[in-house]
Amino acid sequence: MDQKSDQDLVQDVRNGNRQAFTELMRRHQQRVYWVARRIVGNHEDADDIAQDAFIKAFLSLGDFRGDSSFFTWLYRIAVNLSLNTVRRRQVLTYLRESEILSRFLPLGNDPHHDLELKELESRLQRAIGSLPEKQRAVFVLRYYDGMPYEEIAGVLKTSVGGLKANYFHALRKVQEYLKDEISTGNTAR
Amino acid sequence: MKFRQGTPLVDDRAEEELAAEVRRVAAALGEPHQEAPPDPYWQNLLVRTNDRVDRATSGRALTISWAARVAFPGVVAILSFLIGLRYFAPQHESHAPTLANVFLSMPQQAVDTLLSDPSEISAALSVADLGVDPLNPEKEEFANYLINNGSVATLEESMSDQQVTAVLTALGSYREQSTTGVRQQ
């Protein structure tokens, strides 16, 4: 089974072979986990997203037409789930800080909020966390995974030219954020 | 996509230099690498994910959770409805009211009308279940009532031949007495 291509394994899964799907998971689980981890910034969410991505892939295997590689398709699922998690967290943060809801929710006393801050375990991670969603996804895929733009375009369903611009802007913002950290004298954790 | 005029095209070299600069600054800050999960985590992830896939694809429709949320309250609601229907629904009379109840609930004028003109009484009326028998009062009372309120024909039809003979005899002697009384006057 180790010698089979992803495409052959996908076909085996469609024919009812669950072991083939386990092999697909074994091959790609680390990369799926790490892309989620770098976008959402913490282990717990990344763990959930990795599981959800594989479950969604298994259930939607009938919709996979083979236009892209299985890995690109799986990565797309994982990135979308990660960005959804980020959006949900931003909405919760906004609601907590909202003047109206602050009457009902104690600001700053939310253990979940404090935990999120702790989970952004490095300033680099916090810098990435400050990026808009799309720039964040591009940055993670290019900076950490070294993924070619053509493949990133397949994952994010966007043009190569737009991706290049997004990545360049993301790099600039991260650079400025880190330089601010140095200039304000924040010591490393 | 917005078109920004004057935005220089990003070339690969500029991008590589900037990425290198970011790595250098991050290293200068002493940024730790994100801590990787221990090795057993990956095997455990496979097991947990496979379990979730099995649950998601199982054909089992009835779960304990579903039973608690849907089936049990539904059964309780249906049983409550049936019990309420059995014991608390409005009761209808299973049989027609008795003739006695009908007469007793009728106004006096209507009763009088029936007694004075028996032809209005339907042949379908049953007197068999009368507890109180308003149609068969004491004969003397009935006769007095008819004399005061009824017609002669009714009186005749209701009386036996013996009673009619007795009345005629009495009337005959009454007429004689009346005539004699007039002659004497």
Side-chain angles (χ1 to χ4, degrees), chain A residues 18 47 51 121 125 149 188, chain B residues 15 29 34 41 48 54:
Chain A
R18 281 293 303 280
D47 179 55
Q51 292 181 59
E121 52 198 4
Q125 193 62 47
Y149 280 118
Chain B
E15 179 193 299
L29 283 169
Q34 283 183 313
Y41 168 79
R48 283 184 290 127
D54 287 338

Side-chain angles (χ1 to χ4, degrees), chain B residues 79-94:
Chain B
L79 282 177
S80 301
F81 175 76
L82 292 174
I83 291 169
L85 202 62
R86 172 71 178 84
Y87 290 106
F88 301 107
Q91 296 291 334
H92 296 288
E93 294 293 332
S94 58

Side-chain angles (χ1 to χ4, degrees), chain B residues 70-82:
Chain B
V70 178
F72 182 69
V75 167
V76 169
I78 291 170
L79 282 177
S80 301
F81 175 76
L82 292 174

Side-chain angles (χ1 to χ4, degrees), chain A residues 3-15:
Chain A
Q3 309 302 322
K4 281 189 170 181
S5 68
D6 282 357
Q7 211 164 353
D8 292 339
L9 288 173
V10 166
Q11 194 53 47
D12 288 346
V13 175
R14 283 179 174 154
N15 293 338

Side-chain angles (χ1 to χ4, degrees), chain A residues 61-81:
Chain A
L61 215 51
D63 300 334
F64 176 58
R65 292 188 296 271
D67 303 345
S68 58
S69 70
F70 172 77
F71 176 70
T72 301
W73 181 69
L74 178 64
Y75 234 44
R76 189 182 312 139
I77 295 172
V79 168
N80 286 335
L81 288 172

